[in-house]
Amino acid sequence: VRSAAVRALASVKGQEAAALMRPFLDDADPALVVTAASALSNSLDAADRERAVDAFRKLIDDSREQRAHTRAEVARALGRV
């Protein structure tokens, strides 16, 4: 349910959407982080784009086996950016 809500928020355009997405960059759920970073990667604000890059990098750098799915999600998201 939370993931669906964040995806819906991410579809909103503009600075309001960016403000709503920023807190999810630090969420414990990697799927929410990917969604938020994807949304912010299209921001007009360079700082938001940098935050998105940092969030993607943090997820990619987690080399634990149980995070393989997350790394694949990041790769898919980057393909859409």
Side-chain angles (χ1 to χ4, degrees):
V1 174
R2 238 176 120 214
S3 291
V6 172
R7 280 194 302 275
L9 288 173
S11 68
V12 176
K13 304 294 182 205
Q15 286 306 109
E16 296 88 19
L20 293 170
M21 290 293 103
R22 285 183 204 115
F24 292 103
L25 291 175
D26 297 315
D27 199 272
D29 182 345
L32 296 182
V33 177
V34 170
T35 300
S38 295
L40 290 173
S41 67
N42 295 315
S43 175
L44 297 177
D45 183 343
D48 281 337
R49 292 191 307 273
E50 187 62 32
R51 288 182 191 104
V53 168
D54 290 343
F56 282 137
R57 187 172 291 127
K58 181 178 176 184
L59 293 172
I60 290 169
D61 287 346
D62 186 345
S63 61
R64 293 178 292 171
E65 183 61 33
Q66 65 264 33
R67 293 296 187 204
H69 177 74
T70 299
R71 291 189 300 276
E73 285 297 314
V74 170
R76 281 190 281 280
L78 289 172
R80 293 187 299 265
V81 172

